[in-house]
Amino acid sequence: TLFWAKFFNLDVPTTLLTNNPEDANLFLKQQIAVITKAITEAFAPINTTMAIGGNTATFSESVTVLNPALFQEKLDKAYELRIFYLNGQFYASAIFSQLDEQTSTDFRNYNYKIPNRTPPYKLPAVVKEKLHQLMQKLDMNSGSIDMVVTKDKRYVFLEVNPIGQFKQVSYPCNYYLEKEVAKYLSNA
């Protein structure tokens, strides 16, 4: 998906998918900061003291053992975007996760005492057009798109989840996506 996102001129993070510890360690040296994400639901050992689980984590240790793992440059984010795409329409929410140390790397490390602000967000037309082209190329009429807006105003595509949840976008932004999905399905 990152390949096609780049093809449609979406900015993507520098990424390495590898099972070679030497390649991983070189990548760690070349980046200012690195995050790692699971590529499966299982835990993957990456050294004698750490394994990659389901959430995104900052990573700086050297790698000694490595199942296939995904490493990316850690972006200097202003905020995150969660976007639900439905048949050419975009429903976006900003997530101000960087303001809380608990959620700054991965907003799924919820802070229930002080939740992140998640207001509706209007995507620039040029970003919507590129995302629409990507979704058409991927033959997806629905999906949850994750992006980051960096402090230097870059819109960086992270991923699209074809069976992504939309409650996190719908509920706080009053999009009532359940109705939009029902309307779409009743006309299909």
Side-chain angles (χ1 to χ4, degrees), residues 17 37-45 52-55 67-70:
L17 178 62
K37 300 178 183 182
I39 56 173
T40 67
E41 295 302 315
F43 285 90
I52 300 171
N55 287 5
N67 287 331
L70 180 83

Side-chain angles (χ1 to χ4, degrees), residues 84-140:
F84 184 68
Y85 174 87
L86 180 63
N87 200 36
Q89 298 298 312
F90 295 90
Y91 304 90
S93 171
I95 304 171
F96 291 94
S97 59
Q98 79 290 350
L99 302 175
D100 183 337
E101 188 174 326
Q102 182 173 323
T103 61
S104 64
T105 299
D106 191 333
F107 89 98
R108 295 173 295 177
N109 295 322
Y110 297 115
N111 183 339
Y112 292 101
K113 291 180 182 176
I114 307 171
N116 298 144
R117 262 186 340 114
T118 56
Y121 190 85
K122 184 175 180 177
L123 289 169
V126 66
V127 173
K128 288 197 306 191
E129 179 57 32
K130 291 174 184 180
L131 289 172
H132 181 65
Q133 290 174 340
L134 173 64
M135 295 300 280
Q136 287 182 314
K137 177 64 180 174
L138 298 174
D139 196 25
M140 293 173 62

